[in-house]
Amino acid sequence: MHAYSHTDAVLDDLPAIVEIYNSTIASRMVTADTEAVSLESRLPWFHEHNPQRRPLWVVRAPAGGGRQSAIAGWMSYSNFYGRPAYSGTAELSIYLHEDWRGKGLGRYFLTQAIAHAPALEVHTLLGFIFGHNEASLKLFAGFGFERWAALPRVARLDDVERDLIILGKRVA
């Protein structure tokens, strides 16, 4: 297992964040987007995050072989439902560069997210995961997330209807 550390994302990280996000679209396993998103379209999303309430973290891959450090993955806390009464609840999103999947980075991000949530005044964490994404469902379950909702066939990906599973965990 690698020893990871994260930093708050900066605007210069956004191209790599978008590249990692877009790399997951074709699998139809991770996101409901079906076409690549643009850097410009993600600017408002980027600016919704801040270290005090809704961080966006990146883990940098080590530099080597003449190449600069790149982003291995990112994780964000996002508002749930956008109403004040839900401010103590956050949705987690984790996206990993394909070269860094299966190397403990997802576990690292979840460990850090759970530990840091109380400092953000977050008492409840959610994961919105497709029902056919067994790896992500297993990852979250391994951290004590429970199945709180199942929305059958709410997404259509390449003419295949997919379930959305909402996993939740109280952390404070």
Side-chain angles (χ1 to χ4, degrees), residues 107-170:
R107 289 189 300 278
Y108 169 80
F109 274 132
L110 274 181
T111 299
Q112 297 302 310
I114 292 166
H116 192 65
L120 302 173
E121 299 179 10
V122 168
H123 54 71
T124 304
L125 294 172
L126 301 174
F128 288 58
I129 302 171
F130 284 133
H132 63 289
N133 186 343
E134 294 178 20
S136 291
L137 291 170
K138 182 178 176 183
L139 172 66
F140 276 70
F143 281 84
F145 282 75
E146 299 172 322
R147 186 180 185 138
W148 285 0
L151 305 174
R153 301 177 311 277
V154 295
R156 182 179 293 273
L157 298 168
D158 299 327
D159 293 326
V160 177
E161 292 181 327
R162 297 294 189 176
D163 301 345
L164 179 65
I165 308 300
I166 300 174
L167 301 179
K169 180 179 177 75
R170 291 285 300 199

Side-chain angles (χ1 to χ4, degrees), residues 34-56:
T34 57
E35 303 280 332
V37 300
S38 70
L39 188 63
E40 296 75 25
S41 74
R42 296 307 278 176
L43 278 169
W45 169 86
F46 178 86
H47 290 298
E48 288 171 5
H49 292 87
N50 65 71
Q52 297 75 33
R53 290 288 297 138
R54 296 295 185 257
L56 171 58

